[in-house]
Amino acid sequence: MTAGPGTVPVPPSVAAPRGGGRHGSLWWLVVPALVFFVTFGVVPLLGVLGLSFANWNGIGAITPGGLGAWRQVLGDPGLLHSLWVTFEIMAISWAVQTPASILLGTFLAGPQRYRGFLAVLYVLPLLLSSAALAVTWKALLDPNFGLGAGLKIPLLSQNWLGEGGLAVGVVIFIVSWQFVPFHALIYQGGVRQIPRSLYEAAEIDGAGRIRQFFSLTLPQLKYTIITSSTLMVVGSLTFFDLIFVLTAGGPGDATRVLAVEMYQTGFLGNQMGPASAIAVIIVLSGLVIAQLLRRLGGRDASASQLEGM
Amino acid sequence: MATTTSSTTTEPAPPGADRAPAPPRRARRGLGRFNVLGGLAGWVWVAIVLVPIYWIVITSFKSQSTYYVTNPMLPPTEPTLDSYRLVIESDFARYFVNSVVVTAGAVVPAVAMSFMASYAIVRGGGTSRFLRISNSLFLLGLAIPLQAVIIPVYLIVIRMRMYDSLGGMILPSIAFAIPLSVLVLSNFIRDVPRELFESMRLDGASEWTTMWRLAFPLTRPAIVTVTIYNALLTWNNFLLPLILTQDPSKRTLPLAVWSFQGQYGVNVPAVLASVVLTTLPIVVFYAIGRRQLLAGITAGFGK
């Protein structure tokens, strides 16, 4: 990392094939980004672990709290419930979104012009903020003033957000409504990278479309499925805006996921210690799940890739 | 986290398929035909997406009194801007300005810093341990959700005496935009042919000049992509204003929409008008940079 005068030409044969140090040092270019990221990313990550062993009400002084916060959180049946709700929403929304995204992504990867137009429409829900989205659906699903009541269809004018099971279903539906298009686009990219020669070979072998989809497209999409699933699953750990605005964790505690539980414990209940412990649980769950999914894909990294080439 | 996965998932790129745009029609025959199920799903999904959006837009032009008595799926017979007037009178211009300041104030520095960092990592990572460690740290950052570290972020912002200020929202937004931006931008800078760097160097250009004159124009599509993406996330962020502000005059739009509904909940047309006004700028922004964003999603994650 010695700084050399930046303008002295060096014969190409002397220059290293890759790497910058040879020609003026570059390390300082990374410093601004690093300072911001360490201050508001790395330090808080360590901080949240530290605060989980402290007493703090959010305003006053921070005092060491030992294992008090952890004991409180782990002994609270509410935590177990939040974990359950979080994983329930995670699992069901994954199971709903993945087949839909693969189907739509495969369809979008086709050549017709209008599919590009459809892709533009699909992205619209992604542009809305979760808060605006939650506000909208709350109005739309209102049993007295919403769409169902206006159309006078009893089936649609249920108390969607007032009953536990229905509210969970609504959250999953809205999440899918917003994110299926995003994942469909990821799958579109994946499908387009499958070598065309494989399809030509399959066609010569007489494989029909459905056979092609299950024996060729799907196995070839393996890594895309893992990428997309990781984003879905880890992302679902952090659904806060949507649920907070839509139901605030209710009715009762039916949709109180970990992130909402953390907010309510910390910022409404003024118990930052236990809230930090919940945050640590969120981070750890995310890391564990991501690692599991990585393992799932990493074992036979090159297995299905060259099949049939 | 997305990356740790996607980096291990790079398929051996088939020749000619790298970053493939729409391939020639003839070659795709096999994929395009008879996809009845996919086609049906494709159109059904359009309906699922568009019906609520249609409802939002038409309802926002209804008056509160006609909303309850007319068919909710029919456009208003007498469109009115009353709802929009009410929203704008509720200080939305101020929230709009706050959102613009926070978004621009966060995204422009974040992308600039990420670009410089990416350039250094790609050009210097081979010889500098410091740069390689920085890169791993940024990759780790993809696994840190803002929600999970919001309590220490709150503490830091209080200690910096920036609670209830736009700056207090800008600084963490910059930090959380950096990891993904560095990932995407460094992937693109890596694709710049090495000979071009070599010839810049032979011409006596400094790294600083090379970065802005060569790497910047060549990675412009990626810069547009990360700019739009970060702008979208910052514009729509709800958690930071919720936690870091108390003074209504410092609110940004997503928080304003929420409190507006708390205030005017039964006035559905007005609530929806606030949703439209909040979303409109980002739709316009998206319309401008649509191609890059779509290409970015399909190329960035599809591997």
Side-chain angles (χ1 to χ4, degrees):
Chain A
M1 288 274 55
T2 48
T7 49
V8 177
V10 180
S13 55
V14 179
R18 174 168 280 268
R22 66 183 194 271
H23 181 233
S25 62
L26 289 161
W27 62 271
W28 57 276
L29 282 174
V30 89
V31 169
L34 204 59
V35 167
F36 269 93
F37 180 65
V38 167
T39 312
F40 291 100
V42 179
V43 170
L45 189 62
L46 301 173
V48 77
L49 189 63
L51 283 173
S52 74
F53 296 102
N55 288 319
W56 184 39
N57 64 6
I59 302 157
I62 303 172
T63 54
L67 289 170
W70 281 97
R71 219 170 270 140
Q72 180 187 331
V73 164
L74 295 176
D76 177 9
L79 177 84
L80 214 61
H81 175 79
S82 295
L83 266 173
W84 164 246
V85 173
T86 306
F87 286 102
E88 184 189 15
I89 289 177
M90 180 191 287
I92 302 176
S93 64
W94 179 85
V96 170
Q97 288 183 82
T98 301
S101 313
I102 294 178
L103 198 62
L104 287 175
T106 314
F107 166 70
L108 283 177
Q112 288 90 335
R113 266 283 170 77
Y114 72 88
R115 298 183 191 206
F117 172 69
L118 291 189
V120 174
L121 297 180
Y122 284 170
V123 178
L124 288 175
L126 275 178
L127 303 179
L128 280 128
S129 77
S130 299
L133 207 61
V135 161
T136 303
W137 283 97
K138 211 168 149 182
L140 199 151
L141 295 173
D142 191 288
N144 300 315
F145 311 118
L147 189 58
L151 288 172
K152 307 211 166 43
I153 304 174
L155 184 69
L156 286 178
S157 50
Q158 303 192 43
N159 193 3
W160 291 104
L161 298 172
E163 277 171 51
L166 284 179
V168 171
V170 167
V171 168
I172 290 166
F173 173 78
I174 299 176
V175 165
S176 309
W177 188 78
Q178 188 171 23
F179 290 110
V180 159
F182 174 76
H183 293 280
L185 287 174
I186 294 179
Y187 283 113
Q188 179 197 24
V191 170
R192 286 202 170 151
Q193 290 196 348
I194 301 173
R196 239 104 34 228
S197 55
L198 294 185
Y199 286 99
E200 281 155 20
E203 222 156 275
I204 291 166
D205 291 347
R209 280 207 54 82
I210 294 179
R211 183 77 201 281
Q212 279 181 29
F213 178 79
F214 282 105
S215 323
L216 210 166
T217 310
L218 219 47
Q220 287 286 327
L221 283 178
K222 184 176 163 195
Y223 295 106
T224 315
I225 293 174
I226 289 165
T227 305
S228 151
S229 301
T230 308
L231 291 174
M232 267 181 211
V233 164
V234 175
S236 69
L237 279 173
T238 58
F239 290 148
F240 170 77
D241 314 9
L242 177 73
I243 296 176
F244 178 71
V245 175
L246 197 68
T247 65
D253 56 3
T255 55
R256 195 185 293 155
V257 292
L258 285 172
V260 172
E261 170 101 353
M262 179 199 78
Y263 176 82
Q264 289 177 337
T265 309
F267 291 93
L268 301 180
N270 298 325
Q271 297 182 299
M272 291 297 185
S276 301
I278 298 171
V280 172
I281 295 173
I282 295 177
V283 174
L284 290 180
S285 316
L287 289 176
V288 168
I289 295 169
Q291 282 304 317
L292 284 179
L293 283 168
R294 231 179 119 183
R295 282 281 160 77
L296 210 64
R299 270 292 142 77
D300 45 353
S302 61
S304 74
Q305 291 306 308
L306 297 173
E307 216 172 282
M309 288 289 280
Chain B
M1 197 156 298
T3 22
T4 39
T5 316
S6 62
S7 63
T8 56
T9 60
T10 317
E11 294 178 27
D18 50 321
R19 201 162 295 164
R25 203 154 282 223
R26 184 176 45 81
R28 310 222 95 239
R29 216 167 11 121
L31 266 176
R33 270 188 321 167
F34 302 130
N35 194 349
V36 180
L37 198 57
L40 199 66
W43 286 104
V44 167
W45 198 267
V46 168
I48 294 177
V49 165
L50 287 187
V51 166
I53 292 174
Y54 164 80
W55 179 77
I56 295 172
V57 175
I58 59 159
T59 306
S60 69
F61 289 103
K62 291 180 180 174
S63 69
Q64 194 185 353
S65 49
T66 56
Y67 170 71
Y68 295 113
V69 293
T70 54
N71 184 330
M73 290 313 286
L74 292 180
T77 44
E78 291 159 10
T80 162
L81 288 171
D82 285 353
S83 304
Y84 287 93
R85 205 167 295 134
L86 176 65
V87 173
I88 288 167
E89 279 166 5
S90 307
D91 231 5
F92 261 62
R94 182 197 290 270
Y95 307 139
F96 178 84
V97 171
N98 287 348
S99 274
V100 170
V101 170
V102 170
T103 303
V107 172
V108 173
V111 172
M113 284 189 250
S114 304
F115 174 71
M116 295 196 305
S118 311
Y119 181 85
I121 286 166
V122 171
R123 295 282 292 154
T127 50
S128 164
R129 219 174 121 79
F130 172 69
L131 288 174
R132 280 199 301 274
I133 292 172
S134 307
N135 192 31
S136 324
L137 210 56
F138 290 137
L139 288 180
L140 168 84
L142 291 163
I144 308 178
L146 174 62
Q147 283 89 341
V149 296
I150 191 69
I151 294 170
V153 167
Y154 168 71
L155 174 61
I156 292 168
V157 169
I158 294 179
R159 289 290 151 91
M160 292 173 96
R161 303 192 175 280
M162 295 189 83
Y163 184 76
D164 244 346
S165 73
L166 297 183
M169 288 181 272
I170 290 175
L171 297 182
S173 302
I174 293 177
F176 280 86
I178 287 173
L180 192 73
S181 307
V182 168
L183 173 76
V184 172
L185 292 176
S186 57
N187 278 341
F188 269 78
I189 297 174
R190 218 164 262 136
D191 287 348
V192 175
R194 215 167 296 153
E195 297 75 32
L196 295 179
F197 286 115
E198 228 17 67
S199 63
M200 284 295 278
R201 203 173 54 79
L202 289 175
D203 288 347
S206 67
E207 288 287 359
W208 182 258
T209 313
T210 310
M211 179 168 78
W212 291 113
R213 293 275 169 78
L214 177 72
F216 184 76
L218 286 176
T219 48
R220 192 172 295 150
I223 289 172
V224 173
T225 303
V226 294
T227 303
I228 295 175
Y229 183 77
N230 288 325
L232 186 67
L233 289 190
T234 313
W235 184 271
N236 285 342
N237 195 309
F238 175 77
L239 189 62
L240 286 176
L242 177 72
I243 303 277
L244 299 178
T245 67
Q246 204 170 26
D247 181 356
S249 71
K250 295 296 188 296
R251 275 178 197 155
T252 53
L253 284 169
L255 193 68
V257 168
W258 176 58
S259 49
F260 189 76
Q261 186 179 42
Q263 211 177 337
Y264 294 97
V266 283
N267 190 347
V268 176
V271 169
L272 294 176
S274 77
V275 169
V276 171
L277 284 181
T278 303
T279 314
L280 208 55
I282 207 85
V283 170
V284 171
F285 201 54
Y286 168 71
I288 296 168
R290 173 175 64 81
R291 274 177 199 288
Q292 263 91 4
L293 189 70
L294 286 183
I297 295 175
T298 48
F301 294 108
K303 290 182 176 174

